[in-house]
Structure formats: structure tokens, C-alpha cells
Amino acid sequence: MKKLIALLALLMLLLPMSARAETYPEDPDGAYDDSQVYQIYDTQGNYLTSRAGQVSPQDEYIAGDNKLYRILEADPASGRATAEYLGYEPANTVTAFGLALPASAQEARKVICMYSTHSDESYEPTDGTSSKTQDAGIYDVGDALKKNLEERGIQVTYSQDTFLPHDAGAYRRSRSTAEELLKQAPAALLDLHRDGIPDPSEYEHQLEGQDVTKVRLLVGRSNANADANRAFAKEIKAVADEKYPGLIKDIYIGKGNYNQELYPKALLLEFGTHTTDKEEAIQSTQYMADVLDDVLFGGTAQAASAQEGREGFKGAAWLIGGAVLAAVIYVLASSGTFKNLGQRLSRGASQLTGGLMGKKPKDGDE
């Protein structure tokens, strides 16, 4: 029996290693190479979008207006791809803004984990370069998203691990960090990036009078969780389209897995592109945090945070009220009469609140 247990334990140790080897062969199709920029057109020659990264036949693209396209052909020499129109992407039937979320979402631990596989990605107008080996601009965007989520009562872990160089092996290197983050059983695992298309206008947007950047959602179709990842992306877009139209640029479902087979609610988010002003990407995080709160927790994280504040205020009020009542009882007990009660209470209130309430008596007053 002991030998059998030891053999099973050895197999358990070896299985993850073999799984990683199969997940990342040698990337022969360039699924993780984002050095190439493609322009994608429909079969009528109408421009749809650009993508910095591999575009392959069978990739799918959900445009901002929810039209669904499938890539027919892609020519790396010209950087041009053609996609056929398939109709409108079916709406989600599970979650939409304003509708009741399933019990599992309401009961989910209010924890989100984040990391950045391409840990050098930066913003030229603000950072001075598109790639920094230290203090990359993408971490400023991630820190802003973390702060905005935490203000809504959500616990956030944002890994500052780096996975240089920026190549096809970055996802293999970031995998161990993703696996470590998943030990927290988060409601979502987010990989934060910025795009690499040259035209910043494709991401420029305004919300509530503020200049922000749009956000592209990327799903890897070569993994067992692809359907769940896609559904998660669609939930985010549905809520954002209702609350903040235009915030979500589109959804690209591309070849590769991007470590998303590790978790049903794993997703890659691209905040603007390398030619975007970083401050616009940072501004967009407040809206993205609100959307994520609604999708993952039904807005209950923000509501719970506000409720805690109200309960704290109530608790302080009860403490002050109890102190005042105790002072009244003390005055009556010590004086045995109501004479000078008002003056004594005023002095007591002043002492209890550091002078914020009541009136400090003059020297010699009793």
C-alpha cells in the first residue's frame, strides 16, 4: 500500500510538468507573437479593426456593435486579413446589467487576482518608450485598477512579477505566477496588457467628459475553458455596453490559450495601445472596476463597503450617545439636583469631544 501511495504521489508531481510541456510546445504557428500588426477587413473590403499579434483562420472577432466575424485568411507578408460576417453574437442568457445574478456570483469571495505577462509594456507619450524593463507603464494602469476595485470593497492581489523578455515564452514564464494566484480562489484572474497597434484613435473615447481609453478583451480559443472564458468576456461587455457605452472596444478570440485554461473566469485585458497617453488608460480603470464589480458580485462589493461605513457611523453615534447618557447620570448623582445641570453637561461634552461639542466653562465656574 505504501508503495502504491508513493507511486501515485510521483505521478501527481509529474502530471503538471507534462501538461505544461503540451500547453507550450515551441509556438510553431506564432500564436504568441505580437510583433506583427494585421489589418482586418470583411469580405466586402470594409475595414473592421487592427490587431498586434497573430491572426489565424478560424479566429473570431466580436465587434463593438456585437457583430460576429470569423477569419478566413491572413497574409503575414501584407499584414492583411479577411473575415466573414456570421451575424450578431448571441446575447448572454446568464448575466446582464439590471438582471439578477446567479447565487454563485452573489456568494463569490470578493477577491480578484491580476498579473501582467508582458511586464515591459509601456505608453510612449507618457513613459517615453513602448517598452521598459523596470517600472513599466502597464503596472501604473494595474495599480490604478487595483485601487479602484479596493475602493469598492474588493480584495485585490496584483502580482509585480516580471516575465522578461517580451517573447513567446512569456506566457510559459507567467504561468507559475497565475497558478500561485489561483490558490486564493479568486472570482477572476486578469492578465493586464496594452495593445501594439500604431493608431491611438482606435482606442480613444470619452466617458462622462473624461478622456479614457477603450479596453479590448482577448480570449484564447485553444484551451478547455474557451467557452467559459468567452462567456465571461461577453458578460463584461454586456454590462459595460449598458453602463458605459464604448468602454469595451471589442472581443478577439484568437489562437493560443494565454493561460486561460487554468480558470473559467480568466481573461486578458488590453488598456489602449503603445501610442496611447497612459493617463487615459488610468482614467478608464475606474469604469472598468465598476463593471467588474457588477459582473462578478452584482455590485454587492460596493454596497457592502458602503454598508460597513454606515455601520461604523452608527457604532460611533451609539458610543457618543452612551457617553453623554453616562455623563447625565453622573451629574445627577454627584449634585443630587438639576441645578447647574446644563452647565455641567456642556462642560462634560466639551471634554469628551475635545472641544468639538459643548462649551468650555470659564475659570472659576462650577
Side-chain angles (χ1 to χ4, degrees):
M1 178 62 72
K2 290 183 178 179
K3 290 183 178 180
L4 178 60
I5 293 174
L7 179 60
L8 290 174
L10 180 60
L11 287 173
M12 290 296 292
L13 289 172
L14 292 175
L15 278 174
M17 296 173 62
S18 62
R20 275 193 284 271
E22 289 179 8
T23 299
Y24 294 99
E26 290 301 322
D27 192 26
D29 300 318
Y32 304 100
D33 179 12
D34 62 357
S35 61
Q36 170 97 44
V37 175
Y38 284 86
Q39 291 186 321
I40 304 173
Y41 296 82
D42 67 15
T43 53
Q44 307 302 313
N46 300 307
Y47 175 75
L48 297 176
T49 191
S50 291
R51 166 161 163 71
Q54 181 62 33
V55 172
S56 303
Q58 302 304 311
D59 286 359
E60 293 187 346
Y61 172 68
I62 303 173
D65 57 5
N66 290 318
K67 290 181 178 179
L68 175 63
Y69 298 86
R70 180 179 295 140
I71 303 298
L72 295 175
E73 55 185 8
D75 179 17
S78 64
R80 183 184 177 106
T82 303
E84 62 175 333
Y85 174 56
L86 300 179
Y88 282 91
E89 173 72 5
N92 285 323
T93 58
V94 177
T95 305
F97 177 63
L99 299 180
L101 290 171
S104 59
Q106 295 286 2
E107 297 167 1
R109 293 181 67 239
K110 293 179 173 58
V111 178
I112 292 176
C113 290
M114 311 188 306
Y115 65 108
S116 292
T117 291
H118 289 155
S119 46
D120 66 315
E121 290 184 333
S122 300
Y123 299 83
E124 286 181 1
T126 317
D127 295 319
T129 178
S130 62
S131 175
K132 295 178 69 176
T133 56
Q134 292 184 334
D135 302 320
I138 192 61
Y139 286 111
D140 294 327
V141 176
D143 285 339
L145 180 58
K146 179 178 186 288
K147 176 176 178 292
N148 281 298
L149 287 167
E150 289 175 338
E151 288 177 352
R152 288 163 172 79
I154 301 168
Q155 179 183 331
V156 181
T157 298
Y158 181 34
S159 172
Q160 300 292 313
D161 292 348
T162 59
F163 312 103
L164 300 173
H166 186 136
D167 61 9
Y171 288 96
R172 172 177 48 79
R173 292 188 290 273
S174 70
R175 186 181 181 85
S176 60
T177 292
E179 291 173 331
E180 187 66 27
L181 290 171
L182 286 176
K183 293 179 181 178
Q184 300 183 39
L189 179 67
L190 308 178
D191 190 0
L192 308 183
H193 293 246
R194 58 106 179 106
D195 201 351
I197 64 174
D199 185 2
S201 67
E202 289 207 27
Y203 277 94
E204 291 172 353
H205 192 51
Q206 272 206 340
L207 282 174
E208 299 178 347
Q210 293 191 86
D211 291 328
V212 302
T213 178
K214 296 179 181 180
V215 180
R216 168 172 281 174
L217 308 179
L218 181 61
V219 175
R221 60 181 172 87
S222 302
N223 79 85
N225 278 324
D227 289 343
N229 301 147
R230 181 177 182 143
F232 181 37
K234 288 171 59 180
E235 289 173 20
I236 290 175
K237 188 175 186 303
V239 171
D241 287 351
E242 183 73 22
K243 297 190 74 173
Y244 308 115
L247 174 63
I248 301 302
K249 182 181 186 297
D250 47 29
I251 303 172
Y252 193 88
I253 301 99
K255 194 170 186 177
N257 59 30
Y258 306 99
N259 292 326
Q260 292 173 2
E261 83 283 0
L262 294 174
Y263 213 53
K265 289 196 173 180
L267 199 60
L268 191 156
L269 284 67
E270 292 183 327
F271 286 81
T273 187
H274 67 291
T275 53
T276 296
D277 188 312
K278 182 172 64 181
E279 294 308 313
E280 295 180 7
I282 288 174
Q283 289 283 11
S284 70
T285 62
Q286 62 181 305
Y287 302 105
M288 198 69 226
D290 193 36
V291 169
L292 289 168
D293 183 14
D294 273 335
V295 170
L296 294 169
F297 313 114
T300 57
Q302 187 171 11
S305 180
Q307 180 66 19
E308 287 174 5
R310 287 193 294 271
E311 292 300 328
F313 177 78
K314 288 179 182 178
W318 275 108
L319 285 174
I320 293 173
V324 171
L325 179 60
V328 171
I329 294 172
Y330 172 77
V331 169
L332 288 173
S334 62
S335 65
T337 176
F338 284 97
K339 184 179 179 181
N340 297 324
L341 178 59
Q343 187 181 61
R344 288 171 180 266
L345 288 177
S346 180
R347 180 171 58 189
S350 177
Q351 291 172 344
L352 283 169
T353 63
L356 294 175
M357 296 174 60
K359 180 180 180 181
K360 184 177 180 181
K362 297 178 182 178
D363 294 339
D365 286 348
E366 295 295 332

